[in-house]
């Protein structure tokens, strides 16, 4: 197979960052300005459309691009229908961004190249020209888009396009290919992104009308009660300044901070009202409705929302509407079906009256409900039960925790109840009791070295108020109850330090293996599934405990930075990565059995079937099917069917 590294440069009236690559590529305003490509080690060809067509007709040619969904979309929606190019099957595409992510590099081509210390680099001046030429500079009185078409800028754009191919090709050469299995997962990722999920856009538009009207009212109230010192709920600094100047000491307006300060008391009624207005106006979930309006296509389908291997552990990331972090009503106080019916029948004033003072909260809870099945279908929603906590107990060989999960699965008092009984020193706590929530928070939160202070703050963000003394007591109780988990942190840390000091030596910790490659200057961790995690440019650094720990280069908020770590953090990586593999490797089984994956989150998959097909248990069984590497890990899942997406 020969490789063709490929890059398109385009222009359009559509904002790709708001609408995504699919809508961008289907817009009649989108044009291809140039194409550059290189065949294996050849010189880079520019705008040779005849040769490109010949390559597309050759089944032994692979096409490689960085963030290939864009090139695939341009090819499928412009080159094929408008210029008669043959379609290129998905399995003939490869993605250097996928390879970079799997190697724990930054996602962007320029930053990945810099992190790898490549000889080729992005043309930064050319990028500015590309941005200048990619969207209209202005519009004529008749509404016709006017673009920058200076000949000298086209020349620079062509050189920029060619240089992108050079960088992409060198990056591809220096990175290991995805494993056969991970390449297969990438194919399914592209299939899922292309298929998309249906959205009830009529409901979205009605909700937006109500939200816009409500926002204006709430902001007007905020202006009034602050004497004009704060004019919008999204003006963070002005609100912090106002609160501090009036006697309410607060450093930030993050969700956890605001919730905590309200719950702990001691505030005036005025300050509480200001903070609650902030909560209402600052709900990012309601902004998702506007994003849906921008990124759902004419068929009512939302596509291209998942980023393969976005986290270094292999977890997917989100883009556009961020399906990975859709909110839901944790307390079960909102009847989503009724609220959606009301917004579609009562009109703006009727809804505001029916949900007075809680419009934002109600519609935040309704966001999941606008995702719907195709006509004549129903959604199947299946999620794994406490998958990370189960994987942790299994990988740490914590027999007590494993037994308690087995007891849970047999119908005895579940592990959360058992933990709650220890915390409260009461044997009468049952599954339906409110005390179970703290037991659950402990099991799910204390497995990765969390301090008492952090645990207390985490509980507060979920509505559980503890003193720091109580938080520290519970953290210690967890560690003493499950000592192998705690021991696993330190075993993992010792293993990493050992392999760094002994390049090429393999260190086994339970069912993972560590090795340091001096040639690549990277530490690799082989997971139970056989997949590798990569820790780049390891270095021993002083830590806050007056000791030493291992540090690595990693991407944080789009910046390539050094982060230190310790055993508990490494364990969190291993567990999260293994839980990811359990879910990811079920996707091909589901697809082959006729369960199309529409959406997925870290422990949940959403598919659809004909109404009344009765295949839910089959989907559960496929997701829980044991592969040899999973050993005795106690994996369970459960699901439900619905007309609108939601939580069971």
């Amino acid at each position: 197979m020969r490789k063709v590294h490929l890059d398109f440069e385009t222009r359009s009236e559509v904002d790709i960052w708001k609408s995504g690559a699919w809508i961008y590529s289907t817009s009649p305003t989108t044009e291809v300005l140039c194409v550059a490509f290189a065949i294996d080690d050849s010189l880079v060809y520019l705008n040779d459309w005849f040769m490109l067509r010949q390559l597309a007709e050759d089944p032994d040619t692979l096409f490689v691009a960085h963030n290939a969904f864009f090139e695939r979309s341009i090819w499928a929606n412009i080159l094929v229908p408008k210029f008669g190019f043959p379609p290129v099957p998905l399995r003939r595409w490869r993605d250097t961004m996928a390879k970079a992510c799997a190697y724990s590099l930054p996602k962007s081509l320029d930053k990945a190249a810099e992190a790898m210390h490549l000889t080729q680099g992005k043309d930064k001046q050319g990028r500015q020209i590309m941005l200048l030429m990619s969207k209209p500079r202005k519009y004529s009185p008749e509404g016709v888009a006017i673009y920058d078409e200076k000949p000298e800028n086209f020349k620079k754009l062509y050189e920029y396009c060619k240089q992108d191919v050079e960088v992409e090709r060198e990056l591809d050469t220096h990175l290991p290919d995805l494993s056969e299995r991970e390449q297969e997962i990438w194919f399914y990722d592209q299939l899922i992104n292309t298929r998309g999920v249906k959205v009830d856009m009529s409901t979205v538009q009605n909700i937006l009308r109500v939200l816009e009207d409500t926002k204006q009212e709430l902001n007007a109230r905020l202006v009034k009660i602050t004497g004009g010192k704060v004019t919008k709920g999204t003006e963070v600094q002005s609100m912090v300044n106002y609160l501090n100047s009036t006697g309410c000491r607060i450093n930030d307006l993050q969700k956890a901070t605001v919730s905590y300060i309200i719950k702990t008391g001691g505030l005036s009624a005025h300050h509480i009202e200001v903070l609650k207005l902030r909560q209402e106006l600052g709900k990012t979930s309601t902004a998702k409705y506007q994003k849906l309006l921008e990124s759902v296509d004419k068929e009512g389908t939302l596509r291209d929302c998942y980023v393969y291997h976005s986290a270094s552990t292999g977890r997917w990331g989100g883009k556009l509407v961020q399906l990975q972090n859709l909110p839901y009503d944790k307390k079960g106080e909102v009847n989503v079906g009724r609220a959606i019916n009301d917004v579609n029948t009562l009109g703006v004033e009727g809804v505001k009256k029916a949900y007075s003072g809680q419009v934002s909260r109600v519609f935040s809870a309704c966001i999941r409900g606008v995702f719907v099945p195709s006509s004549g279908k129903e959604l199947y929603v299946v999620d794994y039960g406490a998958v990370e906590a189960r994987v942790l107990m299994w990988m740490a060989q914590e027999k007590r925790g494993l037994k308690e999960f087995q007891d849970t699965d047999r119908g005895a008092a579940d592990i959360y109840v058992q933990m709650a009984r220890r915390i409260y020193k009461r044997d009468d706590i049952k599954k339906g009791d409110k005390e179970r929530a703290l037991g659950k928070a402990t099991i799910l939160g204390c497995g990765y070295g969390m301090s008492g202070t952090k645990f207390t703050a985490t509980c507060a963000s979920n509505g559980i108020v503890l003193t720091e003394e109580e938080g520290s007591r519970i953290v210690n109780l967890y560690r003493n109850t499950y000592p192998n988990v705690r021991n696993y942190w330190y075993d993992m840390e010792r293993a990493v330090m050992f392999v760094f000091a002994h390049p090429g030596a393999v260190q086994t910790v339970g069912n993972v293996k560590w090795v340091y490659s001096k040639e690549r200057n990277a530490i690799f961790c082989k997971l139970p599934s056989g997949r590798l995690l990569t820790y780049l440019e390891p270095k021993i650094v002083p830590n806050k405990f007056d000791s030493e720990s291992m540090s690595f280069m990693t991407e944080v908020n789009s910046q390539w930075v050094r982060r230190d770590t310790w055993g508990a953090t490494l364990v969190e990586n291993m567990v999260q990565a293994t839980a990811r593999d359990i879910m990811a490797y079920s996707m091909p089984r589901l697809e082959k059995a006729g369960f199309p994956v529409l959406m997925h989150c870290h422990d949940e998959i959403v598919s659809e079937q004909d109404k009344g097909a009765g295949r839910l248990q089959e989907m559960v069984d496929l997701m829980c099917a044991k592969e040899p590497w999973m050993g005795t890990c106690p994996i369970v899942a459960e699901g439900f069917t619905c007309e609108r997406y939601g939580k069971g």
Side-chain angles (χ1 to χ4, degrees):
M1 300 287 281
R2 60 182 172 184
K3 281 186 175 182
V4 174
H5 291 88
L6 174 74
D7 185 67
F8 291 120
E9 297 303 334
T10 57
R11 70 182 182 188
S12 178
E13 295 179 45
V14 174
D15 186 334
I16 192 171
W17 301 109
K18 290 184 177 180
S19 299
W22 186 264
I23 286 184
Y24 181 91
S25 68
T26 57
S27 170
T29 69
T30 301
E31 305 173 67
V32 178
L33 297 179
C34 64
V35 63
F37 60 91
I39 306 167
D40 292 330
D41 297 326
S42 71
L43 295 174
V44 179
Y45 295 89
L46 180 70
N47 294 334
D48 192 331
W49 297 100
F50 178 77
M51 182 180 291
L52 189 63
R53 184 191 298 267
Q54 287 184 312
L55 293 167
E57 292 170 348
D58 177 11
D60 291 326
T61 296
L62 297 178
F63 287 90
V64 184
H66 198 81
N67 188 18
F69 190 89
F70 174 78
E71 270 73 19
R72 288 186 53 243
S73 298
I74 294 297
W75 194 292
N77 296 321
I78 296 181
L79 266 61
V80 172
K82 293 184 179 180
F83 301 104
F85 271 60
V88 176
L90 172 57
R91 290 180 178 275
R92 284 176 54 199
W93 287 92
R94 299 292 185 271
D95 192 339
T96 50
M97 189 175 87
K99 288 175 64 170
C101 288
Y103 201 66
S104 298
L105 287 169
K107 297 176 184 64
S108 70
L109 181 59
D110 57 336
K111 290 179 180 176
E114 289 175 6
M116 285 293 287
H117 311 292
L118 300 184
T119 58
Q120 298 286 350
K122 288 271 285 187
D123 177 356
K124 290 183 168 52
Q125 183 185 22
R127 174 176 167 75
Q128 296 304 314
I129 296 297
M130 178 273 291
L131 293 173
L132 180 71
M133 301 182 72
S134 65
K135 52 191 175 184
R137 308 315 304 157
K138 58 182 179 178
Y139 287 86
S140 71
E142 296 76 28
V144 177
I146 299 174
Y147 293 92
D148 184 305
E149 295 188 320
K150 297 184 182 69
E152 62 269 27
N153 283 347
F154 267 103
K155 183 178 180 180
K156 292 175 183 175
L157 181 72
Y158 295 160
E159 291 304 312
Y160 170 78
C161 190
K162 291 170 66 177
Q163 182 61 20
D164 263 14
V165 171
E166 295 281 19
V167 180
E168 177 189 290
R169 177 166 57 177
E170 187 180 2
L171 181 65
D172 190 29
T173 301
H174 281 75
L175 288 176
D177 288 337
L178 296 179
S179 68
E180 184 177 344
R181 190 162 206 187
E182 280 301 307
Q183 183 63 59
E184 190 75 4
I185 295 301
W186 182 81
F187 289 143
Y188 281 104
D189 165 80
Q190 296 293 289
L191 174 64
I192 293 163
N193 272 317
T194 304
R195 173 190 292 137
V197 62
K198 294 291 183 183
V199 180
D200 177 0
M201 289 305 295
S202 175
T203 294
V204 169
Q205 290 166 341
N206 287 335
I207 286 175
L208 280 170
R209 293 188 188 99
V210 177
L211 289 173
E212 180 57 33
D213 193 90
T214 302
K215 183 175 74 172
Q216 291 179 10
E217 283 189 359
L218 294 175
N219 277 325
R221 175 63 181 166
L222 190 61
V223 171
K224 182 178 180 180
I225 67 174
T226 63
K229 298 291 181 61
V230 185
T231 58
K232 291 181 181 179
T234 52
E235 290 180 351
V236 174
Q237 195 55 53
S238 63
M239 187 175 288
V240 168
N241 292 342
Y242 173 78
L243 290 167
N244 282 315
S245 69
T246 55
C248 175
R249 295 301 171 191
I250 190 168
N251 295 323
D252 62 70
L253 294 178
Q254 294 181 24
K255 180 180 177 181
T257 304
V258 174
S259 297
Y260 180 75
I261 197 170
I262 290 175
K263 289 180 184 296
T264 51
L267 298 179
S268 68
H270 173 73
H271 287 142
I272 289 175
E273 183 178 6
V274 172
L275 288 170
K276 287 192 171 181
L277 283 169
R278 160 63 189 177
Q279 287 179 319
E280 282 288 296
L281 288 162
K283 287 185 182 293
T284 57
S285 52
T286 55
K288 291 181 185 291
Y289 289 109
Q290 181 62 39
K291 197 66 181 176
L292 284 169
L293 200 63
E294 297 166 342
S295 52
V296 171
D297 66 18
K298 293 178 181 178
E299 299 172 358
T301 303
L302 175 68
R303 310 175 200 268
D304 189 25
C305 280
Y306 295 104
V307 180
Y308 167 82
H309 216 300
S310 179
S312 61
T313 57
R315 270 187 171 183
W316 274 267
K319 53 184 173 179
L320 298 179
V321 184
Q322 298 290 341
L323 297 179
Q324 303 288 57
N325 63 353
L326 294 176
Y328 67 96
D329 178 27
K330 293 181 180 179
K331 296 181 179 179
E333 297 173 343
V334 178
N335 185 320
V336 172
R338 180 187 299 162
I340 288 177
N341 181 68
D342 287 344
V343 80
N344 289 328
T345 57
L346 298 181
V348 173
E349 292 304 320
V351 171
K352 285 165 58 183
K353 184 176 180 180
Y355 299 99
S356 178
Q358 51 183 336
V359 166
S360 296
R361 182 178 69 85
V362 169
F363 289 140
S364 174
C366 288
I367 184 70
R368 291 172 181 253
V370 302
F371 296 96
V372 295
S374 305
S375 177
K377 307 279 188 180
E378 61 184 351
L379 295 179
Y380 281 28
V381 183
V382 179
D383 72 309
Y384 293 102
V387 63
E388 285 197 22
R390 290 168 179 265
V391 169
L392 173 61
M393 298 298 184
W394 172 62
M395 294 184 74
Q397 300 176 29
E398 176 48 66
K399 293 182 180 179
R400 184 173 190 172
L402 286 172
K403 182 182 183 303
E404 288 176 351
F405 272 121
Q406 290 162 357
D407 291 342
T408 300
D409 299 338
R410 285 194 293 266
D414 67 32
I415 191 170
Y416 305 145
V417 167
Q418 294 188 57
M419 194 68 219
R421 289 174 178 175
R422 295 186 194 101
I423 292 169
Y424 291 99
K425 300 178 182 178
R426 287 171 42 200
D427 293 332
D428 61 333
I429 296 173
K430 302 182 295 298
K431 187 172 183 178
D433 295 340
K434 64 180 181 180
E435 291 85 355
R436 178 178 178 271
L438 183 53
K440 182 175 182 179
T442 304
I443 294 296
L444 300 183
C446 292
Y448 308 124
M450 185 182 289
S451 69
T453 301
K454 181 67 180 294
F455 180 68
T456 302
T458 301
C459 286
S461 67
N462 290 311
I464 303 172
V465 178
L466 302 171
T467 66
E468 287 203 18
E469 184 180 1
E470 289 171 328
S472 296
R473 179 182 67 84
I474 293 168
V475 166
N476 288 330
L477 177 61
Y478 176 93
R479 297 180 184 184
N480 292 330
T481 303
Y482 309 111
N484 279 1
V485 171
R486 179 192 57 212
N487 295 340
Y488 196 47
W489 305 336
Y490 297 106
D491 290 345
M492 201 69 78
E493 187 163 14
R494 282 190 291 269
V496 171
M497 299 292 245
F498 177 85
V499 297
F500 184 63
H502 301 84
V506 176
Q507 189 78 349
T508 301
V509 184
N511 48 12
V512 302
K513 297 180 184 297
W514 293 91
V515 68
Y516 171 52
S517 168
K518 199 166 186 178
E519 179 185 6
R520 284 193 169 269
N521 195 18
I523 291 178
F524 298 98
C525 175
K526 186 175 183 181
L527 298 168
S529 65
R531 185 164 66 92
L532 295 180
L533 296 189
T534 306
Y535 294 84
L536 294 170
E537 300 184 34
K539 183 179 179 182
I540 295 176
V541 296
N543 61 28
K544 60 184 178 182
F545 302 110
D546 295 323
S547 184
E548 292 182 328
S549 61
M550 188 62 67
S551 69
F552 308 95
M553 295 301 293
T554 188
E555 186 175 39
V556 179
N557 297 326
S558 300
Q559 299 299 313
W560 188 238
V561 297
R562 181 165 294 280
R563 293 288 293 267
D564 61 350
T565 187
W566 73 292
T569 311
L570 296 171
V571 168
E572 183 177 19
N573 292 169
M574 307 306 103
V575 169
Q576 188 182 102
T578 300
R580 174 267 191 195
D581 291 348
I582 290 170
M583 187 193 76
Y585 296 163
S586 76
M587 288 180 178
R589 293 195 296 270
L590 291 170
E591 293 279 353
K592 290 171 184 175
F595 290 94
V597 177
L598 307 181
M599 304 165 69
H600 59 86
C601 195
H602 310 311
D603 60 356
E604 178 185 84
I605 294 179
V606 182
S607 184
E608 68 179 6
Q609 291 292 309
D610 292 337
K611 289 183 179 179
R615 300 185 67 192
L616 182 62
Q617 188 57 49
E618 184 182 350
M619 181 172 169
V620 170
D621 292 343
L622 285 165
M623 286 175 60
C624 292
K626 282 286 189 75
E627 299 188 17
W629 62 267
M630 293 165 63
T632 58
C633 190
I635 299 303
V636 297
E638 58 183 6
F640 59 94
T641 64
C642 53
E643 297 295 323
R644 294 180 179 276
Y645 177 48
K647 294 291 285 187

